[in-house]
Amino acid sequence: MSAFSTGILVLTSPLNTLPLRIAPVLSSAAQVVERTLYVHLHPGLNLGSAAQARPVFIPPAADVSSLISRLYSNAANVCGHLDVRVLLTNIRAQQGLPPLTGAGNPFPSPQTLSQRPEVVLTDFALQDPGQSSLVAQCLRKYTGHCYVCTPTLASVLLHPQLEPLPEQEGFDIEEPEPLQTYSDVVVGGTFDRLHGAHKTLLNISCLLANKRFVIGVCDKELLKNKVLKELIEPYDLRVQKLKEFLQDVKPSLQYEIVPLSDPFGPSITDPNLECIVVSEETRKGGEAVNKKRQENGLSTLVLHEIQLLKDAHHSEIEEEKISSSSLRTRLLGTLLTPPKVDRPHLTPFPYVIGLTGGSGSGKSSVACRLEALGAIRIDADQLGHQTYQPGEVAYQKVVEEFGSDILNEDKTINRRCLGRKVFNNKDRLKCLTDIVWPEIALLVKQRIRQAREQGKQVCVVDAAVLLEAGWVDMVHEVWVTIIPEEEAVSRITTRDRLTAEDARQRLQSQLSNMQQVEQANVVLCTLWDPEVTQRQVQKAWDLLQERISQRQLTGSHEL
């Protein structure tokens, strides 16, 4: 079956049986759609009759809310690669309309989605095979009334691929329990890399909101204690993705997206808010909001609680729930940013990895692991020591610049004495690095040439100052190791017998994790057990081998 980039799934099974359909339907849809799958709910829709296949308003109900959670939960389990989005334009309370069959068209004109569907799929059950052509025709016509699709919209009936439902499929549909809705609804969160749990929260909030939806997005101070905060998407990008998602889901709502610099934001000052949507773990935060509102003389908000979505694929270092921190953890060892392609001065082989990281980050241990996997390790710090030896070019320049009083009795440079001369003096430190770094770079290039002559495939330049020294031009990719500052301080104090204050000063004199990650192609974190680090390194190595093989196939010097 041909694969399409974007599709729309029209679910027609009755609400009481639809939950049994979701997993197999999504699994079948994932064989047809590659990237984005929109979901349109119309329980009871009859696609076997052209006269009845028309969009109508569907009242919000508790069953619809539960169905949304189940959809996103199942999607995470069976088709995690798809961007699934449940559309709610046709779900709205209308007085006097009987459930599921009310008059009125929610689509006076077809809704434009951020990505135009190329194929429409459905779970509609054929009464007999001869209906197939009529149903497909009705499905395309129905979908065209609702959404702007490609002119060549294809249709796929998923029902023949599904297992039969239990006998209750033929039972009469009971009137669903109505869902209390509100004029103005508020939520807060980080919303990093929108996932199923985020979408559940946003969808149910849109379901509850009749007029306005306020979304607070964590920024700056509120990100400090997040796991792998360096990999959190920029605020503007998170907001952009939120806007796109919400505009697809329910364009009739008024959306207000605001940055959060404290845990409360507008939730404790906006008098028009009526409801806050929370999860099991954020309920206490919702209660704190109401306490603040009372102190501010405002009415308390209704706390609408949703369940957390379980992550069936979590590892031992990840949360059991679907979470952004788990997604960030899974990025470790992967290619976050493609390497630059315009690098004609670099030879194809050996492929050179520049490995760097702050003090205590585990950089050298990662270099050793890569060496064990087959890479040639080039220790820039060790080469730096060599440049200070008598007879080396840098030796004479350093003595001339800083004086003979930095020499030991055997004429070797006293590094401690030299260090005191440049400590807290940026100009003098730059004089020293301007002498030493170019000489280290020459030695690194020499080692790379030797590796090429030996027919080696990969070199790892282990260099703490890779970025500061401007050595990025010597490598094909930059790999960075990171750990939280407190863990780095703990390691430095234990390893180097420094005070915590001295350890922090050392870290503050270096590029921050964030500054290094901004220039990284691959990021690794040694925070957890050695076995976890080894798995990260192995994943990074395996993916690197794939990239190298691809270069060989294409004959390209660069990726």
Side-chain angles (χ1 to χ4, degrees):
M1 189 178 293
S2 299
F4 299 86
S5 174
T6 304
I8 187 162
L9 172 62
V10 177
L11 293 176
T12 67
S13 296
L15 277 176
N16 64 327
T17 59
L18 192 48
L20 301 172
R21 285 289 197 204
I22 293 174
V25 165
L26 289 175
S27 181
S28 298
Q31 299 174 33
V32 182
V33 179
E34 292 182 328
R35 189 178 64 181
T36 304
L37 180 66
Y38 293 110
V39 179
H40 174 94
L41 298 173
H42 192 148
L45 176 66
N46 183 4
L47 289 170
S49 170
Q52 296 185 36
R54 57 186 178 83
V56 296
F57 281 111
I58 298 170
D63 287 352
V64 174
S65 177
S66 299
L67 185 63
I68 288 171
S69 294
R70 189 147 181 173
L71 267 163
Y72 284 121
S73 178
N74 284 175
N77 291 339
V78 303
C79 54
H81 66 287
L82 282 181
D83 177 6
V84 175
R85 304 182 179 193
V86 182
L87 305 175
L88 301 177
T89 298
N90 65 320
I91 300 180
R92 189 172 71 191
Q94 290 244 317
Q95 286 191 350
L97 298 183
L100 308 182
T101 60
N105 182 6
F107 299 95
S109 61
Q111 176 182 336
T112 300
L113 300 169
S114 59
Q115 295 160 63
R116 188 170 292 190
E118 303 159 344
V119 62
V120 55
L121 310 96
T122 187
D123 65 339
F124 181 76
L126 293 176
Q127 300 302 313
D128 63 71
Q131 273 191 313
S132 179
S133 178
L134 172 63
V135 169
Q137 181 181 354
C138 289
L139 178 62
R140 289 192 295 270
K141 185 177 180 181
Y142 172 89
T143 308
H145 280 308
C146 301
Y147 305 101
V148 177
C149 304
T150 59
T152 56
L153 182 69
S155 59
V156 176
L157 311 183
L158 297 176
H159 181 75
Q161 305 174 33
L162 304 176
E163 297 180 5
L165 287 170
E167 293 181 1
Q168 67 261 35
E169 183 175 13
F171 289 2
D172 292 336
I173 302 173
E174 296 181 0
E175 183 173 335
E177 178 188 348
L179 189 70
Q180 177 66 50
T181 59
Y182 308 90
S183 174
D184 297 59
V185 174
V186 64
V187 301
T190 306
F191 299 106
D192 177 41
R193 306 177 196 280
L194 279 182
H195 51 64
H198 289 143
K199 293 175 182 178
T200 300
L201 175 67
L202 294 168
N203 262 110
I204 292 178
S205 298
C206 287
L207 191 66
L208 295 172
N210 294 322
K211 177 184 175 184
R212 186 173 66 119
F213 182 21
V214 179
I215 308 100
V217 180
C218 297
D219 194 24
K220 297 178 182 176
E221 290 298 312
L222 292 185
L223 303 180
K224 274 189 170 183
N225 296 322
K226 297 288 185 182
V227 175
L228 297 172
K229 64 178 183 290
E230 297 84 1
L231 298 182
I232 293 176
E233 293 173 318
Y235 174 83
D236 289 344
L237 179 58
R238 286 180 281 140
V239 168
Q240 176 189 328
K241 291 182 177 181
L242 265 176
K243 287 180 178 177
E244 179 191 288
F245 178 82
L246 294 169
Q247 194 62 31
D248 276 347
V249 168
K250 196 172 179 180
S252 62
L253 282 181
Q254 174 188 340
Y255 295 107
E256 293 180 16
I257 302 176
V258 297
L260 290 181
S261 56
D262 64 72
F264 301 106
S267 67
I268 61 171
T269 58
D270 190 327
N272 296 319
L273 294 175
E274 297 178 350
C275 172
I276 183 170
V277 184
V278 298
S279 67
E280 301 163 53
E281 68 175 15
T282 62
R283 183 176 183 85
K284 288 186 177 179
E287 293 170 350
V289 164
N290 275 338
K291 185 177 179 181
K292 288 282 187 182
R293 285 181 70 87
Q294 287 178 321
E295 293 172 1
N296 292 339
L298 299 175
S299 60
T300 58
L301 304 178
V302 174
L303 267 61
H304 184 96
E305 184 176 324
I306 63 173
Q307 291 186 334
L308 296 170
L309 299 190
K310 299 295 184 183
D311 187 346
H313 308 292
H314 74 278
S315 69
E316 75 274 17
I317 64 169
E318 297 171 353
E319 297 182 90
E320 291 187 8
K321 64 173 184 174
I322 294 175
S323 71
S324 297
S325 60
S326 294
L327 295 184
R328 292 194 293 273
T329 300
R330 293 169 198 175
L331 292 174
L332 297 172
T334 67
L335 190 67
L336 300 178
T337 306
K340 294 180 181 178
V341 295
D342 187 19
R343 313 287 289 281
H345 61 284
L346 292 178
T347 57
F349 293 99
Y351 197 79
V352 184
I353 301 300
L355 178 64
T356 191
S359 184
S361 67
K363 168 183 62 67
S364 294
S365 70
V366 168
C368 291
R369 292 177 188 277
L370 290 169
E371 185 176 27
L373 290 171
I376 296 297
R377 180 189 179 198
I378 300 173
D379 189 339
D381 294 338
Q382 189 178 66
L383 295 179
H385 287 291
Q386 182 178 326
T387 62
Y388 286 102
Q389 297 302 311
E392 297 290 339
V393 173
Y395 173 88
Q396 189 61 37
K397 291 182 179 179
V398 169
V399 173
E400 290 174 359
E401 179 66 37
F402 294 94
S404 58
D405 58 324
I406 64 170
L407 297 178
N408 296 312
E409 291 184 3
D410 61 359
K411 301 302 181 183
T412 57
I413 292 176
N414 184 320
R415 298 283 294 276
R416 188 178 296 274
C417 179
L418 177 60
R420 284 196 293 268
K421 290 200 172 192
V422 300
F423 182 72
N424 280 343
N425 188 325
K426 291 183 178 180
D427 291 337
R428 297 301 282 157
L429 178 60
K430 187 176 186 305
C431 285
L432 178 62
T433 57
D434 283 349
I435 294 171
V436 176
W437 283 352
E439 296 303 316
I440 298 175
L442 290 174
L443 293 174
V444 169
K445 291 176 181 178
Q446 180 184 333
R447 297 294 192 278
I448 293 173
R449 283 195 299 271
Q450 291 172 355
R452 182 165 61 250
E453 292 166 1
Q454 296 167 8
K456 302 299 182 182
Q457 292 282 307
V458 179
C459 284
V460 175
V461 178
D462 176 2
V465 296
L466 180 85
L467 303 177
E468 296 93 326
W471 294 342
V472 173
D473 285 342
M474 294 195 299
V475 304
H476 294 88
E477 293 181 16
V478 173
W479 292 17
V480 169
T481 57
I482 61 172
I483 54 169
E485 180 177 313
E486 287 307 310
E487 176 64 19
V489 169
S490 175
R491 293 183 184 183
I492 295 168
T493 54
T494 301
R495 182 190 66 192
D496 300 339
R497 298 181 180 179
L498 296 178
T499 65
E501 183 181 351
D502 288 341
R504 285 194 176 86
Q505 284 186 347
R506 178 186 294 184
L507 291 172
Q508 289 166 5
S509 70
Q510 303 171 355
L511 292 179
S512 68
N513 282 347
M514 186 66 75
Q515 289 172 313
Q516 296 189 65
V517 167
E518 286 173 352
Q519 300 185 62
N521 301 107
V522 174
V523 174
L524 301 156
C525 180
T526 65
L527 177 61
W528 302 281
D529 293 339
E531 294 79 11
V532 177
T533 300
Q534 182 60 35
R535 287 200 296 272
Q536 284 181 45
V537 173
Q538 185 69 58
K539 177 169 71 172
W541 178 261
D542 292 343
L543 292 173
L544 173 63
Q545 298 309 307
E546 292 178 13
R547 296 197 288 278
I548 291 174
S549 296
Q550 185 62 33
R551 290 171 75 246
Q552 291 174 324
L553 288 174
T554 60
S556 171
H557 282 197
E558 296 297 331
L559 296 178

